[in-house]
Amino acid sequence: MFLRVDKLQIELPAPAQQDVNAASALQELLGGKYGEMSTLGNYLFQSFNFRSKSKLRPFYSLVAAITAEELGHVELVSNGVSMLANGPDEPGADTVGPTDITGAPFEMMKDARLAAGFLSHGGGAVPIDSNGLSWNKDFVTTTGNVIFDLLHNFHLECGARLHKLRVYETLSDPTGREVCGYLLVRGSVHAHAYALALKQITGVEIEKMLPTPNIPLANIPESQKYLEEGSHRRLYTFSPEDYREVAGIWGNGEMALPDDPPGELEVVEGMPEGGKIQELVGEPSAFTPDYAPEEMYEIATKLYKASR
Amino acid sequence: MFLRVDKLQIELPAPAQQDVNAASALQELLGGKYGEMSTLGNYLFQSFNFRSKSKLRPFYSLVAAITAEELGHVELVSNGVSMLANGPDEPGADTVGPTDITGAPFEMMKDARLAAGFLSHGGGAVPIDSNGLSWNKDFVTTTGNVIFDLLHNFHLECGARLHKLRVYETLSDPTGREVCGYLLVRGSVHAHAYALALKQITGVEIEKMLPTPNIPLANIPESQKYLEEGSHRRLYTFSPEDYREVAGIWGNGEMALPDDPPGELEVVEGMPEGGKIQELVGEPSAFTPDYAPEEMYEIATKLYKASR
Amino acid sequence: MFLRVDKLQIELPAPAQQDVNAASALQELLGGKYGEMSTLGNYLFQSFNFRSKSKLRPFYSLVAAITAEELGHVELVSNGVSMLANGPDEPGADTVGPTDITGAPFEMMKDARLAAGFLSHGGGAVPIDSNGLSWNKDFVTTTGNVIFDLLHNFHLECGARLHKLRVYETLSDPTGREVCGYLLVRGSVHAHAYALALKQITGVEIEKMLPTPNIPLANIPESQKYLEEGSHRRLYTFSPEDYREVAGIWGNGEMALPDDPPGELEVVEGMPEGGKIQELVGEPSAFTPDYAPEEMYEIATKLYKASR
Amino acid sequence: MFLRVDKLQIELPAPAQQDVNAASALQELLGGKYGEMSTLGNYLFQSFNFRSKSKLRPFYSLVAAITAEELGHVELVSNGVSMLANGPDEPGADTVGPTDITGAPFEMMKDARLAAGFLSHGGGAVPIDSNGLSWNKDFVTTTGNVIFDLLHNFHLECGARLHKLRVYETLSDPTGREVCGYLLVRGSVHAHAYALALKQITGVEIEKMLPTPNIPLANIPESQKYLEEGSHRRLYTFSPEDYREVAGIWGNGEMALPDDPPGELEVVEGMPEGGKIQELVGEPSAFTPDYAPEEMYEIATKLYKASR
Amino acid sequence: MFLRVDKLQIELPAPAQQDVNAASALQELLGGKYGEMSTLGNYLFQSFNFRSKSKLRPFYSLVAAITAEELGHVELVSNGVSMLANGPDEPGADTVGPTDITGAPFEMMKDARLAAGFLSHGGGAVPIDSNGLSWNKDFVTTTGNVIFDLLHNFHLECGARLHKLRVYETLSDPTGREVCGYLLVRGSVHAHAYALALKQITGVEIEKMLPTPNIPLANIPESQKYLEEGSHRRLYTFSPEDYREVAGIWGNGEMALPDDPPGELEVVEGMPEGGKIQELVGEPSAFTPDYAPEEMYEIATKLYKASR
Amino acid sequence: MFLRVDKLQIELPAPAQQDVNAASALQELLGGKYGEMSTLGNYLFQSFNFRSKSKLRPFYSLVAAITAEELGHVELVSNGVSMLANGPDEPGADTVGPTDITGAPFEMMKDARLAAGFLSHGGGAVPIDSNGLSWNKDFVTTTGNVIFDLLHNFHLECGARLHKLRVYETLSDPTGREVCGYLLVRGSVHAHAYALALKQITGVEIEKMLPTPNIPLANIPESQKYLEEGSHRRLYTFSPEDYREVAGIWGNGEMALPDDPPGELEVVEGMPEGGKIQELVGEPSAFTPDYAPEEMYEIATKLYKASR
C-alpha cells in the first residue's frame, strides 16, 4: 500500500517565465527511457515480482523503498514541467471576467515543439519523453533474477544521471535546474545503493565506477545545498515502519563516494521534510480549471467548509 | 510525496494451481485501457496538473487521495498476476540442490498465450493488457478542465467495472476472483465519488446511472465480505494528514447507492488495515531469484542481522 | 461527404459455431498491414490529398470511388469477425431472466488467442490484426505523386489478395469463407483498376502481372457465384451522382482478365444490391447489450414507435 | 454500405497563406485521442458490433447515422490540414515548365514541426495527432454494453469540444477557424444526442452538463452562421432511406440547449447541401502530382472525354 | 561497409517436426528487448556514432567488430525460427502438381499463438518478440558516453544470456536448442569482452560478475562442442583487414572465465568457418515461393546458367 | 554471415555547420517507412526466409546481395545524420581542459525539432524517422511469395527515391546533399534490378516505369560523378565469393535506363572502393566520449600499442 503526503520532496523556485520548449525538454526526465517513470516502473514491478522475499529481505526492501522515493521524483519532474509550461503564477489570473478567445490567444502554441502539450493537456505533464513519445513497458526490466535486475538498475541510474546532466545543460530557468540539481543528488544515492547491493552479492566493487558520467556533483551549483545537508549520504525508507532492513546494505560502515562531501552513509526512517507544491493558477481562456470558474470556486468553498 | 507500507490492501487467498493464461487474463486489469495503471495514471497526472488547487481544494483532494489508493490497486492486481502465473508457494522450493535445465522443463510455456511472461519476466506482472500490449500515455486524459476530467474519470470507473466483471467471469481460481471481488467494491466507491463531485458542480444527478453495468454487487459472492464491513461507504484519505477535504464531497449526508447495503458515506483518514503479501517462493531452474541462490540467502541473512 | 445504407455488400451465411480464434484470424483482413482498414485508409487520405483534381479527374475519381467500397469491406470483415466470435444467433438469448455470472461462465475466453476480444469488446471487431496489434498510420502511403501512389495501391491490392487467400486457408466456417470469397473477387477488380490506370499513364502493361498470387479465382468455390454474376467486371461508383469519370479507366473496351469469366469491363453507377446485416443477438451475462436489458428494450420500443 | 458524394459538408475559405505548423495543430482534430478519426472509429465499430439491433433500433440508428457524419468530419479536417499545409491555390502552378530542384527549394520544411508532413505526404493529411503520433485502436471503445458505450461517447464529444476550442485558439487563418467553428456546432449536436439517449435509458438529465467546457457557441464568431441556420437543432440521417428511427431520441419535443438559439430539435433525412472541395493545385517541384505532369494531364483529359 | 557470405555461423540440425509455437518462443531471441536485433542495433548505432574514434581505437573496434558478428546472430535465430515454423524440409514438396486450397489446409494456424507468422510471413522470421510485438528504437541505447555505453552493453549481454537460457528451457526440438547452445557461448564472449573494456577504463573487475545468471555453460549439452573448440576464448574481427585493435582488450594475457575450459583469450582475424544454410523447401499451397512455381524454376535455371 | 570493413561507401564532405534540424530531416532516410532501415529490413528478412533457394538462386542472390549494400546505406545515412547534428570536426575539441556545464551550454537544443537527439543520443543517429518515430516491423514485408515480394521491393525503391528527392530539397548543406546524391544513384540500381527480376518472371516490362518520380538523375548535380563513373550500371555482389548468380538478372545484355548515361549493365564482384569515415570529434561538455576523457585516451593508446 501507498500513502500520499501533499508536499513535494523539495520546494521548487518559481519559473522566471513561461517556456514550453523547456518544459518539453524536461519531459525527457519524466517519460524517457532513462526518466523517472522508468526508474519508478522498474522498481515498482521488481518489488511486486520479487521472489523469496523473506530470505532476501534487505534486497527486497532496498528496491521497495526506492520505489516510493521514485514516485516523488515523478511528482517533482511533473511539477517542474507544468510550472515551466505555464510560467509564473499570476495570483487572481483564474478569476478574470469574461474571456475573449477569438483573437487566437494561443497562436504561439502551434509552433511549440510539442503542441499537444497545450492542446491536450493545457500545459500539464504526461508520461512522454522530450520528443513526445509515450513511456511504455519496453522501459521495464523485471526478470526475477536478483543479480541481473540489480545490475540493470545500476545501469539505469547511471543512464538517468547522464540524461539529467544533459537536460540541465539545456535549461536556463531556475525551476528546471533545481529539479535536475536535486535529482542528480538523489539519483547518485540510488546508483550507489544498487552498487553496494551488487558488491554484497558478487564481491565486485562496482561502486568504483561512480560517478558515471565522471563529473563530480560539486560542479553543479544547484546540487550544493543538498550535498551540504548530507542528502547524498541518506537513504530514506519512505515508509512509516517498513524497509528498515535496507540498513544492511546502506550503512554497515560504508562511506560517501570520494567525489562527494565525506561522511558515513545513513538510513533515515520516513521521508524528507519536503516543500510546498506550486499553486498552478488556472487560465480560464485555456479552459483550466474552466471557462467561467467563479461558480465552481463558490461551490468548492462551501464544500471545503462542510468538510471541516 | 508518497510513503509505502509493506502490505496489500487485502490478503489474497493462495492460487489453487498455476494458470498462466488466467494470469494473462488478469493483466487486462493491470495494463489495459480500463485497468488500474490507467486509473492510477489519470489521477496521478491530473493531481499533478491540477489548477487553482487552493480554490478547488475538495476536488483536488479527491483526485489526489484516490490516486494513492490506485497505487495499491496496481499492487494488488500485480500480486494476483504473479501468484497465478507461479502457482501456490511451495516452501523450500527455492533451496533445491543442483537444478537440471536440460530437459526442457518449461516446454509448456511456449504454448502459453503470452510466452514473454515467462521468458522475460519469470512469471512476474508488467504493465501490459491481456493481449500483451503495453500500457501507454494514450490511456491518460488530463486536460486541466475540472468538469471534463471528472466526467472522464466517471466514465473510466464505469468502464473499469465492466472489465473487472468480464475478467471475473473467466476465472475459476480463488486468487483472481478475490482481486476482482474487492476491486469491484472499491471501484464502485470511486465511480460514486466522481459522480458526487460532478453533481456538486453541475447539478446533474449522474450517480443515478450507477451501477454501470447494471448488476448489483450483491450478485458477486467475493464482494460480500467487503460490503458487509461497509467498504462501499468508505473513502480513505490514504494519507497521514492530508486530503481530509474530500469530506466535502464524500459525506455531506450522502448515502450508499440503492443496490448496496444502506448507510451513510464516511471518510476514513489513513488506509485500510491491509493483509500480508504473498511470499512468491523462487524457482532456481527459472533463475529466480538465481540459479544457485544459497550463497545469496546467506549474505542476505547476514545483512539482515546487521540492519537490526 | 458520405452516406450510409443499412445493408452489407452481401449477406453472410450464419456461422456454424462460435470460434473466437477464427475471428482472430479474420482480424488480419481488418486491421493488418494488407487488410481492409489499410486499403480504406490509403485511398481515403489519397483522395483527400489529391492534387490538381480537375486536371486528373478520372484518376481522382477512381481512388475516391474505391474508397467508398472499402468502407463496406471494413464493414463486411467486421461483421464476419463478430459473427464468428459470437457464434450463431440464438433468438431470445438476449431476454433470458436473471443471469448467474458466478460460475466462471466465460472461462474458455482466458485461453482464447486474443482474450481482450472478449474482455474489452464482448466479441466485437476492432482495428487490429490477427496478432492483436493496432492498425496505424504506418499502413498509409499518401505522397501526392500520382504514379507512385497508384503503384503502391497496385502492390497493396496484390498483398491483400495473398493475405485473403491465406486467411481463407485457415477457416472452415462458412461465414469467414464467404467473406474471403467475395473480397477476393472485389479485390481483384481494384488491382485490375489500378493496373489499368498505371498503364494509361506509363504504358506498362502491369495488369499482365495479375493474378498475384497466380491462382485463378476459379479455384475458390466461394467466389464462383460472384464471378457468375460478373462482379469481377464491374466497378461501382458507390455514389449517387459522382465519380462517373472512372469509366475513362475502367471501360474503354478493356476486358476481364484471362483467368476470369470473359466479358467487357463495365462501370455501374451506385452500389450493389447488398444483403441483410446479422442481428448479433445480445448476451446479458456478457453485459451485451446489458445485464438486465428488458427495460431498455421497452424504452427502445416506445421510442421506435414515436419515431414513425 | 457507404456512398460517397464529391462535396465537403461546408465550403472552406481559402487559406490566407501557407502555414505548416497551423496544419500540424489542426492534425490534433484529425488523429488525436479526441479527434475525428476517434469519433469515427468509435461509432463505426460500435455500430458494427451493436447487439440486439432490432430490439434497440433507435439507439443503433443513432450511432450508425452519426458515424456517417463523422466520415465527413474526417474529410473536412483533412481538407483543412492540406489547405493550410499548401497555402492558397495558385492557378497554373501545376503546369510550370522545367522545375529546378537543386537550390534547396523546401529548406524551410526541415524546421517545420512535423517535417514528415512534407517529406512523406507532400503536405497531405494523415491520421496522426498534433505531435505526429498515430491514431490507433487504443482510441476505440466498443464494449457492446449500450449504456457504457453511450456514456463513453458523451464524454468523447465533450473532450472533442475542448480540443476544438483549444486548436481554434491557436489559429489565425480563416481556413482552420472555419473548420473549428463548424465542427463545434456539429459536435454539440452529437454530445446532445448521446445525452438524450442516455437520459431515455437511465433517467439522468445528463444533457444539463452541456456545454462542456462551459462556453456558449455564441462566443465563437465562426459558428454563428451555422447557429443561425439552425444546424445545432438538426440531426441528419446521412442515409438515402435508413436510420429514421433516430427521431425517437432526437425529436420528441426536445428543445435546443439553453445557451443556443432556441427551437425544437429536428431530424433531417439525408445530408446537408455541402460545399465545393478545394482544388489543391499541384506543385511539380514537390513531385505532386508529378515532376513533369503535362503528359499526365493530356492522358487524363482524353480519358475524361472517353468517360462521358 | 559490410560484406555478406552465404553461410550461417554454424550449421543447424534439421527440426524434428513443425512447431510454430516453438518458433514463436525463439522470436524472443530475435526481436525481444534482450534479443539479437537489440544487440545488433545497439552496437551498430554506437559504432556509427562513436566519438573520437582515432583516440579510442580499441574501444571503437570492439563495438564495430561485435556488430558484424551480431548480424550473423540475427541471421542464425531467423533461420531457426523459419525452420521450426516450417518443419523438416521435404525434398520435392515445392514441385507438387495442382494444389487444392479449399479444404482449410492451414486450419491449425488459426490457433497458433502468433497466427500472423503464417498469414503474413508464411512461416518466416520477422523482428518481433515472443508475444508478437515489434522490435523498436526503445531497445537502442547510444549516448556517445563510452563508459556508460559499455556498461549498458555489459548489462545487455547478461540479460541476453538470461533470455537465451529461458528460451532454451522451453524447447525440445534440436534446431532451437542448437541456436541457444551456440549463442550462449558467443554471448558470453561479448559479455566478457565488454567487461574487460570497462575494467581497462575504470579498474573495476566487473568480469567477476560473470556468468550472470550464475549457471556454467558446462551445464548446457548443446554448448559443449563450442567450448571444446575454444569458441569461448575467441573474438573474431569479422573483417577482412580491420578491427585488429580489439587485441588490446581481448588478449593482453587475459584468460577464459573460471567456469569455462581454461586457456588464453585470442583474437581471430576474419570469421568462423560457418555452416550450410537450410534450403527451406517451398510450399505452393501456402503460395511460397508461388502457387504454381514450375515456370519460375525454369526461368531461374536459365538465368542461373546465363550467369556462369 | 557478414563481414565489416571500416569504410563508408563514399567519403562524405564535412558539414558546413552544425544543423540539428537538417540532421532530423535526414533521419527520414534512415528510419522512415521508405528509408534505408526499411530497405535493409525487408531484404534481410526476405533473404533469411527465402524458399527453395537452390531452385531460385538468381532471385535469392539478388535479394541477398542488395541486403549487404543496404547495410552500408544505413551506415552512410547514419554518418550523415551525426555529422550534421555535430557540425564540422574541430580537431582537439575533445581534449579541452575543465569544462563548465553550468551556463546552459546547450540551451539551443531545447528548441531543436527532435530534442532527444541531443538529450539521449548526443547527436547520434538512431532508427527513427524525421518526426522522431521508431522504425518498426510494420515496415517489413516478407511473405515468401517471390513475385509479390519483388513487386513490393520495386515499389519500395520507387518510394525511397521520392523520399530522397524531397529530403534533398530541404538541405543546403553539402554533407546531406552528397548522401542523397549518391543514394539516388544506388537506389535507382536497386529499382532497376527488381524490375528486371520481375520482368524475367512475369514478362511485364515494368522497368519502363522508371524513373519514378519522373525526374532524370541528370538534374541532380551531386549525382553526376557517380553517373560518370558508371555506378548506375553496376550491381555489386558485396561478397567475397557469393551471389554471382545475380548476373542472370543484372546483365544478360540489359542496358542502362534511357535517362541515364548509356552502357551495358555489369556485375562487380565485391564492393566499391569506399571512403574514409568521419572522425566525429568528441565534446566533453556533452559527455562524449566522456566529461574528462584524457585518461581514457591514454589507456586506449596503451591498449592500441599492445594490440600491434
Side-chain angles (χ1 to χ4, degrees), chain F residues 282-302:
Chain F
E283 191 163 18
S285 64
F287 309 100
T288 62
D290 210 348
Y291 179 64
E294 293 75 17
E295 198 186 352
M296 198 189 284
Y297 298 151
E298 273 174 49
I299 292 164
T301 305
K302 223 176 303 172

Side-chain angles (χ1 to χ4, degrees), chain A residues 178-191:
Chain A
E178 190 79 16
V179 168
C180 296
Y182 178 69
L183 292 179
L184 279 164
V185 176
R186 298 307 305 160
S188 291
V189 168
H190 298 170

Side-chain angles (χ1 to χ4, degrees), chain D residues 38 51 56 58 69 71 74 85 87 119 121 126 129 131 140 161 182-183 205 212 237 250 267 274:
Chain D
S38 289
R51 302 310 195 89
L56 296 168
E69 177 163 5
L71 274 163
V74 167
L119 298 176
H121 312 302
V126 276
D129 72 9
N131 275 3
V140 174
R161 192 176 194 273
Y182 177 70
L183 292 179
E205 297 178 310
T212 287
T237 60
W250 188 267
V267 170

Side-chain angles (χ1 to χ4, degrees), chain D:
Chain D
M1 280 192 286
F2 295 81
L3 294 167
R4 187 168 186 174
V5 173
D6 203 39
K7 279 182 170 182
L8 292 183
Q9 288 176 2
I10 56 167
E11 181 161 345
L12 291 175
Q17 55 183 24
Q18 186 185 39
D19 185 342
V20 291
N21 284 356
S24 295
L26 198 49
Q27 281 278 166
E28 187 70 30
L29 301 189
L30 181 52
K33 183 174 179 179
Y34 290 96
E36 300 298 338
M37 282 290 292
S38 289
T39 45
L40 169 61
N42 276 280
Y43 312 154
L44 188 73
F45 287 99
Q46 285 177 20
S47 64
F48 295 159
N49 299 333
F50 211 97
R51 302 310 195 89
S52 304
K53 291 181 194 79
S54 61
K55 289 201 178 76
L56 296 168
R57 194 80 204 167
F59 299 100
Y60 166 67
S61 288
L62 183 70
V63 177
I66 296 180
T67 301
E69 177 163 5
E70 298 294 358
L71 274 163
H73 289 185
V74 167
E75 185 183 36
L76 191 68
V77 179
S78 295
N79 272 266
V81 167
S82 53
M83 288 166 74
L84 284 166
N86 295 293
D89 271 350
E90 294 180 40
D94 53 354
T95 50
V96 294
T99 302
D100 184 8
I101 72 162
T102 60
F106 293 99
E107 188 164 16
M108 66 290 193
M109 290 300 179
K110 80 176 160 51
D111 299 311
R113 269 210 324 108
L114 301 179
F118 168 72
L119 298 176
S120 214
H121 312 302
V126 276
I128 58 173
D129 72 9
S130 64
N131 275 3
L133 304 184
S134 182
W135 184 85
N136 66 77
K137 63 97 192 163
D138 287 340
F139 298 153
V140 174
T141 286
T142 168
T143 69
N145 182 275
V146 170
I147 294 177
F148 178 67
D149 284 356
L150 288 172
L151 173 62
H152 168 272
N153 297 351
F154 175 74
H155 127 270
L156 181 64
E157 292 285 354
C158 292
R161 192 176 194 273
L162 172 57
H163 283 71
K164 281 165 200 155
L165 286 164
R166 288 209 182 126
V167 169
Y168 173 80
E169 293 183 311
T170 69
L171 300 177
S172 58
D173 190 283
T175 308
R177 291 171 76 90
E178 190 78 16
V179 169
C180 296
Y182 177 70
L183 292 179
L184 279 164
V185 175
R186 297 306 306 161
S188 292
V189 168
H190 298 170
H192 194 180
Y194 288 125
L196 295 177
L198 276 169
K199 181 167 70 169
Q200 290 291 357
I201 306 180
T202 67
V204 175
E205 297 178 310
I206 199 169
E207 81 280 7
K208 296 202 168 152
M209 224 177 263
L210 298 176
T212 287
N214 62 346
I215 180 174
L217 289 180
N219 292 22
I220 314 289
E222 287 81 358
S223 299
Q224 295 325 301
K225 76 175 153 211
Y226 305 111
L227 292 175
E228 278 157 25
E229 66 190 43
S231 181
H232 62 293
R233 290 183 293 102
R234 289 192 204 131
L235 190 68
Y236 298 92
T237 60
F238 275 97
S239 179
E241 302 189 9
D242 300 312
Y243 313 122
R244 292 166 179 156
E245 310 81 4
V246 295
I249 293 164
W250 188 267
N252 262 329
E254 291 278 355
M255 304 297 289
L257 293 172
D259 277 350
D260 295 333
E264 215 166 327
L265 306 185
E266 49 173 335
V267 170
V268 179
E269 294 194 19
M271 58 185 172
E273 197 184 342
K276 205 164 66 79
I277 298 177
Q278 165 100 346
E279 170 72 7
L280 278 181
V281 170
E283 191 164 17
S285 65
F287 309 101
T288 60
D290 211 348
Y291 179 65
E294 293 74 16
E295 197 186 353
M296 198 188 285
Y297 297 151
E298 274 174 49
I299 292 163
T301 305
K302 222 176 305 172
L303 297 175
Y304 183 68
K305 284 181 185 151
S307 78
R308 314 206 60 149

Side-chain angles (χ1 to χ4, degrees), chain C residues 162-176:
Chain C
L162 172 56
H163 282 72
K164 282 165 200 156
L165 287 163
R166 286 208 183 125
V167 169
Y168 175 79
E169 293 183 310
T170 70
L171 301 177
S172 57
D173 190 283
T175 307

Side-chain angles (χ1 to χ4, degrees), chain F residues 42 52 145 163 232:
Chain F
N42 277 279
S52 304
N145 183 274
H163 283 72
H232 62 293

